[in-house]
Amino acid sequence: MTTPSLTIQRHTPAQAKEITEELIRVYATVYDVPPYTGDPFFSVDTYASRLHAAFDMEGFEVVTAHLDHDAIAGYVHGVTLPAEREWWTSLGDRRPPAASAAAPAGQVFWLREIMVLPDHTNQGIGRRLHDAMVTGRHEPWTALTCITDNEPARSAYPRWGYQVIGQIRHAPESPLYDAMVLPPSPAA
């Protein structure tokens, strides 16, 4: 059996808009499991609204992974972190001082979503997507939030160099998230 080839592709906002339906289909599949099923915060319509809003945010970008040039196996998207984003500011002094100073200068990337279809998990695709996205960004810092019981993702991020700096909720109805930062690489 041959190992499928993985193709990573970057997408500008305009290019991402052209594949919106495919991005939403991936989300619908990934989040069609308990505890997300039936939770309005994780509904496909709610996600579609968040995705459409993100298209117009500063620094929006999508990176997709395709196996053997087939349909999307997974993707990551994010934006330049707005310095006054409520979840970010709610962390106050728990944020590293250098990251706090970097945000107003547009030097923090907010990794908003990373997902891999269930048939393609545990193959390193999530890590490849993450690394392609983060290394291709101009911002030296990366921030993300991860649902506290979202395993194995929650355990992967610290292995990838992230530091948990606090817990937040994106909305009153949202689950609890760990807020994490990835400091600049020593070469940055």
Side-chain angles (χ1 to χ4, degrees), residues 40-155:
F41 187 78
F42 294 102
S43 76
V44 173
D45 289 341
T46 300
Y47 175 73
S49 294
R50 287 193 303 259
L51 180 62
H52 283 281
F55 287 150
D56 296 324
M57 296 177 76
E58 181 182 340
F60 177 84
E61 186 175 29
V62 172
V63 174
T64 56
H66 303 260
L67 290 171
D68 290 331
H69 304 285
D70 202 4
I72 294 174
Y75 70 94
V76 57
H77 78 81
V79 299
T80 302
L81 178 69
E84 296 306 315
R85 192 69 180 196
E86 188 174 337
W87 73 263
W88 177 252
T89 60
S90 74
L91 294 163
D93 291 341
R94 292 175 289 169
R95 298 171 294 177
S100 292
Q107 295 299 301
V108 179
F109 172 65
W110 175 15
L111 192 154
R112 290 174 53 105
E113 293 280 350
I114 184 168
M115 59 190 87
V116 176
L117 287 170
D119 289 348
H120 304 298
T121 59
N122 299 313
Q123 298 175 36
I125 294 172
R127 179 66 189 258
R128 295 262 316 266
L129 283 165
H130 170 272
D131 291 354
M133 175 63 92
V134 170
T135 60
R137 298 294 300 192
H138 76 275
E139 302 95 342
W141 286 87
T142 300
L144 61 76
T145 61
C146 181
I147 299 168
T148 57
D149 61 357
N150 179 8
E151 293 297 342
R154 169 57 188 80
S155 295

Side-chain angles (χ1 to χ4, degrees), residues 30-38:
V30 169
Y31 282 87
D32 190 25
V33 295
Y36 312 112
T37 306

